[in-house]
């Protein structure tokens, strides 16, 4: 998250490495360079509003969203998992969204790509369950970052989301709902009419 990671880059021992999750060569190079990795954070993501579910650009926008938000996670995980599996303790954090459980037609390509990434996260966690690698899915609503500039809604602070995520990681959890709205939304999933059919009040 751009605003929150500014300080990160100044931490002693942190070496920034440029990577494009849509470009396998940069991923391979990063994995070769960062062979001491014990924590992989799949944070890169893009979003775009569309005119509607039948708009002309929905296929192109979906392809673009999936390339970064889904295949990006798959590519980077594939490259780093062999590194992580050699470590006595390793973890993967996948940055997801409350959108996987919300009907938001203007964000349909983004929502679909994040739902795919959520599914992949769950398959990966189960696949790695006997290796001791922790897989943490982060779900959150609007966060005050560059992605949401110009959207006038209440937003969680990046610092709070990051703090809750690392607390959940330290506690050995598999998922974190990093704002109150997402906690409420997830609590509706077992209801007759869950939030992905009728969003709870406040959404
Ligand atoms: N902000 C929200 O309300 C919100 C809510 C739920 C989930 N999320 C998720 O949180 C994550 C971070 O988003 P953000 O809000 O911090 O957005 P942001 O401020 O726009 O930052 C997005 C980050 O992703 C990087 N990125 C985009 N495409 C990339 C690619 N192909 N390869 C490598 N890096 C790429 C960007 O790098 P460059 O700057 O170099 O382009 C930037 O660092 C995303 O996965 C997003 O879906 C955000």
């Amino acid at each position: 998250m751009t605003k929150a990671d500014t300080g990160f880059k100044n931490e002693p021992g942190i070496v920034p490495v440029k990577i494009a999750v849509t470009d396998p060569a940069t991923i391979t190079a990063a994995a070769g360079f960062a062979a001491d990795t014990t924590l992989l954070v799949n944070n890169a993501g893009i979003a775009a509003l569309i005119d509607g579910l039948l708009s002309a650009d929905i296929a192109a926008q979906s392809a673009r969203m999936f390339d970064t938000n889904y295949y990006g996670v798959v590519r980077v995980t594939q490259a780093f998992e062999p590194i992580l599996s050699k470590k006595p303790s390793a973890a993967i954090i996948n940055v997801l969204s409350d959108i996987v459980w919300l009907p938001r037609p203007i964000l349909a390509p983004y929502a679909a790509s994040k739902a795919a990434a959520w599914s992949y996260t769950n398959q990966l966690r189960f696949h790695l369950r006997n290796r001791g690698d922790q897989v943490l899915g982060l779900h959150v609503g609007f966060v005050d970052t560059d992605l949401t500039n110009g959207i006038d809604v209440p937003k969680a602070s990046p610092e709070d989301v990051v703090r809750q995520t690392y607390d959940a990681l330290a506690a050995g959890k598999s998922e974190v709902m990093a704002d109150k709205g997402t906690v409420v939304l997830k609590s509706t999933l077992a209801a007759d009419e869950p939030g992905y059919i009728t969003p709870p009040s406040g959404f």
Side-chain angles (χ1 to χ4, degrees), residues 134-152:
Q134 186 181 353
V135 177
L136 177 68
L138 159 61
H139 294 265
V140 66
F142 284 112
V143 184
D144 188 12
T145 68
D146 293 347
L147 193 76
T148 59
N149 266 345
I151 304 178
D152 190 17

Side-chain angles (χ1 to χ4, degrees), residues 48-67 104-113:
L49 303 178
I50 57 165
D51 280 341
L53 273 180
L54 303 178
S55 66
D57 65 340
I58 188 165
Q61 287 288 15
S62 299
R64 208 166 68 81
M65 296 295 128
F66 268 79
D67 199 17
R104 289 280 183 265
I106 60 166
L107 279 166
Y110 175 69
S113 68

Side-chain angles (χ1 to χ4, degrees), residues 17 24-34:
V17 180
T26 67
I27 298 169
T28 305
F33 176 77

Side-chain angles (χ1 to χ4, degrees), residues 113-175:
S113 68
K114 285 293 186 183
W118 176 46
S119 176
Y120 178 79
T121 302
N122 295 332
Q123 305 295 344
L124 180 70
R125 184 183 302 110
F126 194 75
H127 174 72
L128 297 177
R129 70 195 182 286
N130 295 327
R131 291 194 209 162
D133 291 355
Q134 186 181 353
V135 177
L136 177 68
L138 159 61
H139 294 265
V140 66
F142 284 112
V143 184
D144 188 12
T145 68
D146 293 347
L147 193 76
T148 59
N149 266 345
I151 304 178
D152 190 17
V153 293
K155 299 169 194 170
S157 83
E159 292 80 2
D160 189 47
V161 172
V162 170
R163 185 187 51 72
Q164 288 197 53
T165 302
Y166 284 114
D167 284 352
L169 190 73
K173 296 195 172 165
S174 298
E175 282 190 323

